Amino acid sequence: MEKLETTELQSRLSSLSVSSFPGITSKNCEANPSNRLQSTDLSRTVIQPDTQTKMDDNSESAPSAEEPSASLGKAEAGDSQESSTSPPGEKKALPPMKPASTWTSVALKELKTKLCQEKDSVVTVYRGDIMTVHVPTVPEAKHVCWEFATDGYDIGFGVYFDWSPVTSRAITVHISESSDDEDEEDDLEVPGVPGDVEKGSKSVANSNLGEILPVYRQDSHLAVQSGSHEFPGEGTYQLKFDNSYSLWRNKTLYYRVYYSA
């Protein structure tokens, strides 16, 4: 019954002329109206046009707007990671250290009398020389302490800490000689240059060496110079007695270095 109605309707439509509908031209009508009518049959599967398929394909292959931003974010993260990496050869920052505690005492005679009875506690620091006492840290103690005095004249003194691992627990003394052999009658000083004892500035070549007390001239001939420092970690203290600025006079030094809890 449905097929008869469809055939009858097709015959009526084919008998109509395009000119029978005012305002409609042949450009706006399809050449085969039966195809359009056949699409109304619900029993048949509707096939989408090829243009729609192409559009769908294009929509799937087109990248989403979020993808470029995600890739950009990855690139920015990579740039920030590269910038945070320290350039090769850059000097490493040393751990912070507490300041040293220092004090003076007028008991010069008592200290000198006491140290004269101890071995290697009275030494001569010759003109132009620097005497460095290397004191390694030990697990039994927490502080290093020092006290010293001189006869007649002052001497430069400073404290440094070497963060290199301790290989020996022995306290050692190293003497470095100055290349200046000029003879003068008075206690002369080298003109103001970097590393001058008067200014307390010392150039440190060792990258593991931290400064606790810069080298300054101390009035150790007038008062006993004493001090202590808490261990910042494993390493070796360097106590420097500096007579490099003196081109004529040797200095008699009374000193003692010991540990405390």
Side-chain angles (χ1 to χ4, degrees):
M1 182 68 181
E2 291 178 358
K3 292 182 179 180
L4 292 175
E5 292 177 356
T6 303
T7 306
E8 184 178 354
L9 183 60
Q10 289 179 357
S11 61
R12 289 182 181 181
L13 289 175
S14 59
S15 62
L16 293 176
S17 174
V18 175
S19 59
S20 301
F21 297 92
I24 298 178
T25 61
S26 58
K27 292 182 180 180
N28 296 331
C29 297
E30 295 185 1
N32 192 3
S34 60
N35 293 338
R36 177 178 294 180
L37 193 59
Q38 290 175 0
S39 63
T40 59
D41 191 353
L42 300 178
S43 62
R44 300 185 181 182
T45 303
V46 179
I47 301 175
Q48 294 182 353
D50 294 339
T51 55
Q52 182 67 25
T53 305
K54 291 181 180 179
M55 290 177 63
D56 294 341
D57 294 339
N58 293 335
S59 64
E60 292 177 359
S61 61
S64 62
E66 295 179 355
E67 290 180 358
S69 62
S71 60
L72 181 61
K74 292 180 181 178
E76 291 176 353
D79 295 340
S80 62
Q81 185 176 0
E82 290 178 0
S83 61
S84 63
T85 306
S86 57
E90 184 179 355
K91 185 179 178 181
K92 254 185 171 175
L94 297 176
M97 293 185 291
K98 294 181 179 179
S101 300
T102 59
W103 61 92
T104 60
S105 171
V106 294
L108 277 171
K109 186 177 179 180
E110 292 80 354
L111 177 68
K112 291 179 180 180
T113 302
K114 179 181 179 180
L115 294 182
C116 283
Q117 300 173 4
E118 297 182 9
K119 184 181 179 181
D120 299 330
S121 292
V122 182
V123 296
T124 299
V125 183
Y126 292 97
R127 58 185 180 90
D129 287 354
I130 301 174
M131 186 182 83
T132 304
V133 183
H134 297 264
V135 185
T137 57
V138 293
E140 296 85 4
K142 294 183 179 179
H143 297 79
V144 62
C145 305
W146 61 85
E147 52 185 355
F148 65 93
T150 52
D151 283 339
Y153 304 96
D154 61 8
I155 194 169
F157 177 74
V159 181
Y160 297 83
F161 189 79
D162 188 354
W163 289 91
S164 303
V166 176
T167 57
S168 174
R169 298 181 61 177
I171 297 177
T172 59
V173 176
H174 175 73
I175 304 294
S176 59
E177 298 180 355
S178 173
S179 60
D180 196 345
D181 294 328
E182 294 182 8
D183 292 335
E184 298 291 343
E185 293 185 357
D186 295 324
D187 206 16
L188 299 181
E189 301 167 5
V190 180
V193 294
D196 192 355
V197 178
E198 281 289 333
K199 298 180 180 178
S201 57
K202 269 296 187 189
S203 57
V204 179
N206 187 354
S207 59
N208 291 328
L209 201 62
E211 183 181 83
I212 299 173
L213 281 176
V215 176
Y216 278 107
R217 291 175 68 172
Q218 306 290 338
D219 291 331
S220 51
H221 61 299
L222 303 177
V224 177
Q225 308 294 319
S226 305
S228 67
H229 189 261
E230 182 179 353
F231 294 169
E234 181 187 3
T236 304
Y237 284 93
Q238 294 185 9
L239 280 65
K240 294 182 178 292
F241 296 95
D242 193 334
N243 197 32
S244 62
Y245 58 90
S246 180
L247 303 178
W248 177 249
R249 289 191 175 97
N250 303 327
K251 307 292 173 64
T252 301
L253 173 68
Y254 305 79
Y255 80 98
R256 185 167 77 103
V257 179
Y258 57 97
Y259 300 106
S260 69

